Amino acid sequence: MEYSPKNIESKWQKIWDDEKAFKAGTDYTKPKYYALVEFPYPSGQGLHVGHPRPYTALDIVARKRRMQGYNVLYPMGWDAFGLPTENYAIKNHIHPKLVTEKNVAHFKNQLHAIGYSFDWDREINTTDPRYYHWTQWIFLKLFKAGLAYKSSMPINFCPSCKVGLANEEVVGGKCERCGAEVVRKVKSQWMLKITEYAQKLIDGLEDVDYVERVKVSQKNWIGRSEGAEVDFKLSGKEESLRVYTTRPDTLFGATYMVISPEHPIIEKYAAEITNLDDIKKYQEEASKKSEFERTELVKDKTGVILGGINAINPVNGKEIPIWISDYVLMTYGTGAIMAVPAHDDRDWDFAKKFDLPIIEVVGGSTVPVTEAAFTDVQTGVLCNSEFLNGLEVKEAKKKIIDWLEEKGIGTRKVNYKLRDWVFSRQRYWGEPIPIIHCPKCGYVPLKEEELPLLLPEVDSYEPTDNGESPIAAMRNWVEVACPCCGGKAERETDTMPQWAGSSWYFLRYIDPLNDSAFASKEAIDYWMPVDWYNGGMEHTTLHLLYSRFWHKFLYDQGYVSSKEPYMKRTSHGMILGEGGIKMSKSRGNVINPDDIIAEYGADTLRTYEMFIGAFEESASWSENGVKGCRRFLDRVFKLNDIVVEGDAYSKELEIKMHQTIKKVSEDFENLKFNTAIAAMMALVNDFYKIGKITKGELKTFLVLLNPVAPHITEEMWEMNGFDGRLYKTSWPAYEEAKTVEDSVEIAVQVNGKTRTTIIISRTASKDEAIAAAKEAIADRLAGQTIIKEICVPGKIVNIVAK
RNA sequence: GCGGAUGUGGCGGAAUGGCAGACGCAGCAGACUCAAAAUCUGCCGGGGGUGACUUCGUGAGGGUUCGAGUCCCUCCAUCCGCACCA
């Protein structure tokens, strides 16, 4: 009989649905396993060939875990708020809700056709009011805890999307989504104090099993640094200028200071500044530059001196000038620095340009500090620094900070690059922020009983030109009575960013229909944390960081019982087009998974995506590779023709069977799906080589292949009259003792070069092995003196001879 | 500039410090066929040899080791992050 995936696949998909085969149980006494993949944004383009890679990988894990007796939760849902849907709605005058519904239906059909073992009873959608009820609820908790605040500050604004962006959404100075140049705009925005969790987000990484590159990126993004804040007295004034430095040891080399153009001291002493016009001009230029232009690889430093005001270096009492330059950012540290040109590249550049003194205070450089800054902290020794002279950098840091603290002019300080999360968008298609602005009472949270605050219907979804959300025009929605004083008040018209819904969705899956809480305590205690979460590297500093932050907050509030949401995080590589180029519409090389399923079947698609290469690395698509996997499944199906009776493994293949069970079991755990499949291909080759397969062998083989190719294996299980359903079977066991052959082929080397191989008993002693090896290469050893004999049992014998 | 990764046949890719190239693709030869496709069998890194064999070979150069694709040092190339964070 011919292998016909079309019939087989729809047949089994229906059976699995009818039997609720993959429903996560509520028997909380069973061991649980929570496998999670990032839920997709249901775009109009439908499923991309990149989606099935991670979904199949964890589907394999989930199916294997079920067969190992776990109560498995492997859910799927829709991260459906977002700009593309809204833009499509604007263009076509369709309600985004309808667009979303249509796209979700399409996505769901596509995913269904691939045969994933998702528990569809737990499907969630971030745009569903029953879902965003709890997104808003968490926001209120954040607000009440003082972690959500409104702030007027320069933000990254995309003039094309007409929306403010979080720092994480700005890539190379451009809008992550549309690619337009981002400009700086001062706006009043809701912010979340993720910075308050900076240290916890770093510390938590110690307790989880994430791939190293994810940990490293998160740590770099949070950007912890240790140093000191130091006060520099302004000459002739009581006030001081506070700086942050990681090199307090170089304080004696601070020959000038630099402040950011936005630094408040400029306004404060405007009257005393002698060159105010120049400064105003400089400020204006700086404000016009986008954040990107300001921080772009600027070789040429710009700046202007703050005329009429000087500072005093606290360690030596010397009067030093203050400069203004946009290489100092108001948003980091104190917005002011002490400049040590001898030991900082940027200060060195600036000093060279404006001819400022360079004083060496750390010796050990091979070139004089007039040639280049010496920034090495490992080898340097302090000089020209009075009581610090002769100390190594590390000791000097400690000593100077102690000294500063004692004198009350400085203090130890840790800083982070991480900035607070810009949490409001002037857009329609997002969760309304449940806050009412009362002129008397300020920002008043909506009562929790009033949630969800529904997104109102509007005529136009387009953001207004003055940068307000389209819902701002809905006056009857906006104008409300203050819940606090009853007076006239207005609702917040900004909505939440796309990242809100995904920051806690893994908690909703565990109890998706609960109307009285985001999830019951019992369910949370049972299911959390997620055991294995796979997702894209591109979310490392976005979704992954945000959701860890929210989860840690919920933990601190007592709503969840684990400090970290995800125990294990892995990341898949991208799938590129043929020839290693990115798939894109403009190149016309986009592969639609539907076409692959139609031509080769879902099992082939699944097998190919797992066989394509190392899971964590990017791989390029190859139609011939797909064909190869189909050929493999054809050969699998044709095993039906050579099945013979017998539950036992045949003598020829017994060891091979045990080896393959071991290999596949281990490889599935370690993301090595490609080699697991290779091992199964090799086993199939062996079945054909000996011309038969026993029923016992076939049973085991089908179970091993099932997680990868669930339809064909389930069909063959039935065809061969095996008991019940394959998906209800147990994962096969192997005996370690039977994974090794009685006799082994070992290499015989002379001076490290393999000369021949011999077959000896696995239990042969070293002496026996060496004796046998010597005999095999006796002619080569003739006339030589044996210096050394090395034997690694089961591997090699190496004779060192002269 | 900083951080991370990668570099192995014609291609995708395998190899706890122990026979480099598993498995797949492509290619070549043969079987089947009127023929083609599909399928099956065999070969398939380079040089040398009719041959059993031999020699070179994992980006380059050094080193450690009886033995290195794998460990260490230096360099080159490519990709991905971050980027004036004091």
Side-chain angles (χ1 to χ4, degrees), chain A residues 635-650:
Chain A
R635 276 164 71 78
V636 167
F637 199 76
K638 270 191 281 186
L639 287 172
N640 278 333
D641 299 341
I642 59 166
V643 178
V644 297
E645 290 300 322
D647 283 338
Y649 298 152
S650 62

Side-chain angles (χ1 to χ4, degrees), chain A residues 189 367 681:
Chain A
Q189 299 274 0
V367 289
M681 287 173 167

Side-chain angles (χ1 to χ4, degrees), chain A residues 652-801:
Chain A
E652 301 96 305
L653 288 181
E654 186 181 18
I655 288 164
K656 188 83 181 192
M657 289 300 297
H658 284 273
Q659 285 174 341
T660 308
I661 296 169
K662 181 178 181 182
K663 172 98 182 133
V664 171
S665 302
E666 289 174 357
D667 283 358
F668 280 174
E669 296 301 319
N670 298 315
L671 295 171
K672 294 170 81 175
F673 306 106
N674 53 338
T675 50
I677 293 169
M680 291 190 276
M681 287 173 167
L683 184 60
V684 168
N685 291 344
D686 285 337
F687 290 138
Y688 282 109
K689 214 162 278 167
I690 66 166
K692 65 179 166 86
I693 177 170
T694 70
K695 285 209 163 175
E697 286 161 355
L698 181 62
K699 253 188 181 172
T700 297
F701 175 75
L702 291 177
V703 181
L704 291 182
L705 182 62
N706 175 263
V708 179
H711 312 85
I712 186 177
T713 46
E714 193 83 64
E715 177 75 9
M716 289 175 71
W717 186 270
E718 190 182 65
M719 287 170 81
N720 284 281
F722 297 148
D723 285 345
R725 296 285 186 231
L726 173 44
Y727 73 79
K728 289 180 181 165
T729 315
S730 310
W731 190 253
Y734 63 89
E735 288 172 53
E736 188 67 48
K738 289 190 178 163
T739 60
V740 282
E741 319 251 0
D742 289 338
S743 54
V744 283
E745 188 182 29
I746 65 168
V748 179
Q749 302 181 332
V750 177
N751 297 330
K753 291 200 168 170
T754 302
R755 290 306 169 186
T756 188
T757 60
I758 54 172
I759 293 172
I760 59 166
S761 162
R762 183 167 56 83
T763 52
S765 69
K766 281 193 181 190
D767 288 344
E768 285 167 338
I770 289 168
K774 276 192 196 159
E775 199 186 317
I777 51 166
D779 48 333
R780 273 182 189 279
L781 295 174
Q784 300 209 54
T785 319
I786 293 170
I787 298 164
K788 201 170 175 183
E789 295 164 341
I790 295 137
C791 176
V792 181
K795 299 278 185 188
I796 57 120
V797 170
N798 187 12
I799 309 291
V800 185

Side-chain angles (χ1 to χ4, degrees), chain A residues 27-42:
Chain A
D27 175 3
Y28 291 169
T29 59
K30 250 177 116 178
K32 66 97 182 180
Y33 198 85
Y34 188 174
L36 184 67
V37 287
E38 289 172 346
F39 61 162
Y41 174 72

Side-chain angles (χ1 to χ4, degrees), chain A residues 375-490:
Chain A
T375 57
D376 189 352
V377 293
Q378 301 301 325
T379 60
V381 173
L382 274 283
C383 59
N384 298 325
S385 299
E386 299 177 17
F387 59 91
L388 298 177
N389 285 342
L391 294 176
E392 285 175 19
V393 169
K394 212 176 138 191
E395 303 161 31
K397 272 189 190 175
K398 195 175 167 333
K399 187 159 182 182
I400 187 74
I401 296 177
D402 288 344
W403 185 87
L404 289 166
E405 287 188 334
E406 199 178 300
K407 298 259 175 188
I409 48 178
T411 159
R412 239 165 267 272
K413 172 83 180 172
V414 171
N415 256 330
Y416 303 91
K417 288 187 204 171
L418 186 71
R419 295 181 203 175
D420 278 342
W421 176 7
V422 181
F423 197 69
S424 44
R425 299 294 126 97
Q426 296 71 50
R427 279 283 176 165
Y428 176 73
W429 195 227
E431 301 89 343
I433 293 174
I435 295 283
I436 288 163
H437 188 195
C438 171
K440 272 194 223 131
C441 314
Y443 295 109
V444 182
L446 215 64
K447 291 201 175 79
E448 285 178 19
E449 309 85 77
E450 290 177 39
L451 296 180
L453 172 60
L454 297 177
L455 194 53
E457 300 292 326
V458 296
D459 298 329
S460 162
Y461 311 108
E462 196 142 10
T464 60
D465 285 334
N466 61 11
E468 295 236 41
S469 159
I471 55 179
M474 306 292 299
R475 297 314 297 174
N476 58 347
W477 183 82
V478 171
E479 289 166 13
V480 288
C482 170
C484 200
C485 69
K488 271 194 175 177
E490 294 198 349

Side-chain angles (χ1 to χ4, degrees), chain A residues 522-538:
Chain A
E522 198 193 6
I524 293 168
D525 287 348
Y526 177 69
W527 286 112
M528 287 301 289
V530 173
D531 293 282
W532 188 340
Y533 189 23
N534 185 84
M537 273 309 284
E538 71 274 20

Side-chain angles (χ1 to χ4, degrees), chain A residues 117-330:
Chain A
S117 65
F118 295 129
D119 178 356
W120 285 108
D121 288 350
R122 292 172 184 252
E123 177 181 353
I124 58 170
N125 184 326
T126 55
T127 66
D128 182 341
R130 285 172 301 171
Y131 180 90
Y132 69 69
H133 178 152
W134 301 104
T135 312
Q136 291 172 330
W137 182 85
I138 296 170
F139 179 86
L140 288 183
K141 294 290 174 199
L142 286 161
F143 178 79
K144 287 170 190 168
L147 292 171
Y149 62 98
K150 201 145 195 197
S151 160
S152 211
M153 61 178 309
I155 57 146
N156 305 300
F157 186 81
C158 172
S160 163
C161 300
K162 295 181 187 166
V163 67
L165 302 170
N167 289 313
E168 291 84 342
E169 293 172 292
V170 181
V171 177
K174 301 204 163 128
C175 172
E176 184 200 40
R177 210 162 316 262
C178 74
E181 194 83 21
V182 169
V183 298
R184 292 194 317 151
K185 198 165 186 174
V186 176
K187 258 207 142 288
S188 177
Q189 299 274 0
W190 283 99
M191 308 286 291
L192 295 188
K193 261 191 210 163
I194 191 172
T195 50
E196 193 127 301
Y197 277 76
Q199 192 58 48
K200 283 184 176 176
L201 287 166
I202 294 173
D203 294 342
L205 292 172
E206 295 301 317
D207 308 324
V208 292
D209 174 21
Y210 286 11
V211 279
E212 198 53 30
R213 54 185 174 149
V214 169
K215 285 193 185 183
V216 170
S217 312
Q218 287 211 343
K219 278 186 201 155
N220 288 346
W221 186 263
I222 296 168
R224 180 193 156 99
S225 70
E226 287 177 26
E229 282 189 346
V230 185
D231 289 330
F232 282 61
K233 264 243 156 63
L234 293 176
S235 193
K237 299 198 167 32
E238 275 311 298
E239 196 178 348
S240 296
L241 185 54
R242 177 166 291 184
V243 302
Y244 173 69
T245 177
T246 54
R247 294 294 305 276
D249 54 301
T250 62
L251 207 39
F252 284 91
T255 52
Y256 63 101
M257 300 182 79
V258 187
I259 60 174
S260 158
E262 296 91 7
H263 200 283
I265 202 178
I266 301 170
E267 294 309 317
K268 189 157 181 189
Y269 293 106
E272 297 171 46
I273 295 169
T274 54
N275 57 338
L276 197 60
D277 288 348
D278 290 348
I279 292 172
K280 288 271 181 226
K281 206 174 131 205
Y282 187 77
Q283 283 178 317
E284 201 182 322
E285 278 166 18
S287 74
K288 263 192 264 169
K289 288 186 194 174
S290 70
E291 182 89 354
F292 182 62
E293 283 171 320
R294 256 179 87 162
T295 59
E296 208 181 2
L297 323 119
V298 186
K299 280 130 213 147
D300 214 19
K301 296 239 178 326
T302 60
V304 54
I305 196 163
L306 188 68
I309 299 175
N310 287 324
I312 311 277
N313 185 333
V315 286
N316 55 19
K318 279 190 191 151
E319 196 161 305
I320 55 176
I322 302 172
W323 285 71
I324 299 166
S325 175
D326 63 7
Y327 82 87
V328 174
L329 309 170
M330 199 58 225

